Amino acid sequence: MLNKYARAFFTRVLTPFAAFLLRRGVSPDAVTLIGTAGVMAGALFFFPRGEFFWGTIVITLFVFSDLVDGNMARQAGISSRWGAFLDSTLDRVADGAVFGGFALWYAGTGDNNVLCAVSIFCLASGQVVSYTKARGESIGLPVAVNGLIERAERLVISLVAAGLAGMHKTFGVPGIEILLPIALWVVAAGSLVTLGQRVVTVRRESAEADAASAGGTAGATGSAS
């Protein structure tokens, strides 16, 4: 849902920066790769150590590359299937690093096996949610559904909560560390709902497509006879 309404706003905001990078000879693919590397570094260096505030700051600096690279490609008129594939693939890598960082913290110093498992579920369910849409589209279905918790929501909820929770360790703000566990449970539950929404949508659309194909075949047979 956030993806639908926020992407247009941030695209407008980041357009001048994208144009600046193009004038400096930076390619969209380079921005994609650097952005993913930055997100991975922030998540896998800071999060396993419990440095959620600084990890979130680093990740936030790089996560907007997902909007900048596409903006650059459109401005330069070089949008391509390869660029779309690379961007989508590295999005999954970045998401895995974020929730993997949470899982490493809870498996280690955080010492909470339940929240470690919830973090792993968030990681896996996010990948499957993305796969259902990609797989549905690959067999010719529109997968026309805005899920409850899509990629933008997963990142915003988890990173905002992590950043705020990190203020407990970094600045001594009391009681705020509970926000991250709450956010992980919300993302896990929302991802499960979203997965169900997409599966139901694909089932309905595939049944409609199969019925239309059968009707078209029967009509063609009747005309021939």
Side-chain angles (χ1 to χ4, degrees), residues 125-183:
S125 60
Q127 307 295 319
V128 176
V129 164
S130 298
Y131 174 79
T132 54
K133 184 173 181 65
R135 182 58 178 145
E137 291 174 343
S138 75
I139 57 176
L141 301 175
V143 196
V145 58
N146 290 318
L148 179 64
I149 298 288
E150 297 183 327
R151 183 174 188 258
E153 287 86 0
R154 289 196 302 271
L155 288 177
V156 169
I157 292 170
S158 58
L159 291 178
V160 168
L164 292 174
M167 295 176 70
H168 171 71
K169 179 176 181 179
T170 304
F171 303 109
V173 179
I176 204 168
E177 68 275 11
I178 193 64
L179 291 177
L180 180 57
I182 291 173

Side-chain angles (χ1 to χ4, degrees), residues 67-105:
L67 297 176
V68 173
D69 54 6
N71 194 316
M72 292 171 65
R74 286 189 294 273
Q75 287 192 49
I78 55 174
S79 298
S80 65
R81 290 182 176 88
W82 161 250
F85 169 81
L86 181 67
D87 184 59
S88 180
T89 300
L90 293 185
D91 281 350
R92 308 288 84 75
V93 173
D95 292 357
V98 170
F99 290 103
F102 293 144
L104 288 171
W105 162 250

